[in-house]
Amino acid sequence: MSLPSIQPANGLGDLKFDNSFLRELPGDPEEGPARRQLTEACYSRVAPTATAAPKLVAVAKETAELLGLSPADCASTEFLQVFSGNGLLTGMQPFSTCYGGHQFGNWAGQLGDGRAINLGEIVNTEGQRLVLQLKGAGETPYSRTADGLAVLRSSVREFLCSEAMFHLGVPTTRALSLSLTGDEVMRDVLYNGNAAMEPGAVVCRVSPSFTRFGHYQMLAARGETELLEQFLNYNVTTDFPQLAGIAPGPERALAWFAEVAARTTTMVAHWMRVGFVHGVMNTDNMSVLGETIDFGPYGWLEDYDPDWTPNTTDAQGKRYRFAHQPAVAQWNLLQLANAIFPLVNDAAALEKILASFETNYVETWNAMLGQKLGLQSFEARDGELTDALNSVMQLTEIDMTLFYRNLVDIDVREESASADLTGVLTSALYDPATLTGDVQVAWNGWLQNYAARLRDDQQTLDARRAAMNAVNPLYVLRNYLSQLAIDAAEQGDFSRIETQLDVLRDPYTEQPGREEYAGKRPEWARTRVGCSMLSCSS
Ligand code: AMP
Ligand code: MG
């Protein structure tokens, strides 16, 4: 722990730390990054590794505000020093946590924060507890064979997507800052023997808790039932205060599990609403708070393809494809249920919650889909319409985001009941010439049924437009847009990150002059690495 201690005379100096994870849970007696397997402990004390020449790339002012930091605070040299891993504020006690997980369906044993280091927990003026965590700040006991570092491209993606999700209304961890370290990092992007040096970077992430399903699984796998119980009780009192009134014991564990399942339902339904594919939904990448966490080989659906996965590592089995995300979430919850079983000892009660995940998900998703389509409410009869939509959307390449955004312009007048309504699709199609013959007939059939349903609803156009535009974003973090921001940043131009973040601050409102940020994927991006294909290399 040889990092300099920093005492800034600005808002940073006012951050008050209350490191409950360290205080309430047992830690590893050994410090430092030597690799080891933990027993009877939840974390190891380890400091960030100092970097050669840190440079601030971007700050998300909304996240800074959450911490009570002003733009001037964020522009200070102390800010850069601390959030690039080169200094510690009074009260910071850096540590990494131990977790396990199922990767691609297989138990992987101990994983842990291999390149994440928590600096400490603050309680903000609203009383909200927030953990500050650096990603890419060097080796930890959990780095296994890797280097604990992160590169600029993956850090830009994590930074932008965290904030994009927040502004879209999707539960997510937040990003405070993105810095270059000045160090070079070796990566083989496609794992094909073409390793190259890339600029290293660090992101500071912020969340009330970074606790993952895998934290529970690790304790269960080690057979440490007492510590498992202590961990759950810590988690409940710290992060689920609404459940703290239930006495410790099976009833509390079940209520907690039901709450995690409910939050996971909401999170995944939002992913489906905005066309987000996480790409690596391993159980170690599932937050118990139901926040989207670990932005790695994620992607955004452009042409609607339920079978699409952005992750090249997942290209064979497509376990983490778009349409499979709800089922994977349920499978992950099953693993979490197994982990906490020793605290409940009632398989039927856990199974009941798992079974209700499915019904709750369908209900949540139908309600959202109804909103996306501008229906006053989703009715049982609408299942046929939405199933048919899922099919017609796969007949020809159509941009999911633009399709929903444009749909409000459909001609619903009675006198158009035998007209061709497919003009509303044109600007969303990747190749408008494909809209002929049977494809056009099928689409027109669907649009006619939809228009009839809207006539039934008798909502005014203004009301429908407002409702639809509130859930159908115009701007999402399209894969190629991230890549353009990365390309510029790698050349030393960070302005595209700034502008991209600014566009995403208001994703549901048309922003004149920023049409390029709402555009369909250009043809060059269809096959470019980083746009259509991503790997776990980061
Ligand atoms: P994930 O890609 O999030 O599923 O990561 C799986 C595990 O690998 C986690 O324990 C990560 O902390 C760890 N990991 C990923 N990249 C690195 C890296 N560059 N250095 C050390 N650990 C890493
Ligand atoms: Mg991870």
Side-chain angles (χ1 to χ4, degrees), residues 22 82-83 90 215 280 315 368 391 401 519:
L22 294 198
V82 170
F83 294 111
T90 308
H215 281 100
V280 57
M368 265 187 207
S391 302
T401 302

Side-chain angles (χ1 to χ4, degrees), residues 38-53:
L38 244 58
T39 52
E40 296 294 347
C42 299
Y43 63 86
S44 306
R45 297 292 313 274
V46 59
T49 303
T51 68

Side-chain angles (χ1 to χ4, degrees), residues 500-522:
Q500 182 66 71
L501 174 59
D502 200 49
V503 169
L504 294 169
R505 284 195 166 105
D506 200 4
Y508 299 99
T509 308
E510 204 170 324
Q511 302 173 36
R514 286 174 158 177
E515 291 74 15
E516 67 172 304
Y517 291 91
K520 275 180 300 209
R521 176 196 58 217

Side-chain angles (χ1 to χ4, degrees), residues 212 284-285 294:
R212 300 150 190 267
D284 52 302
N285 291 335
D294 279 8

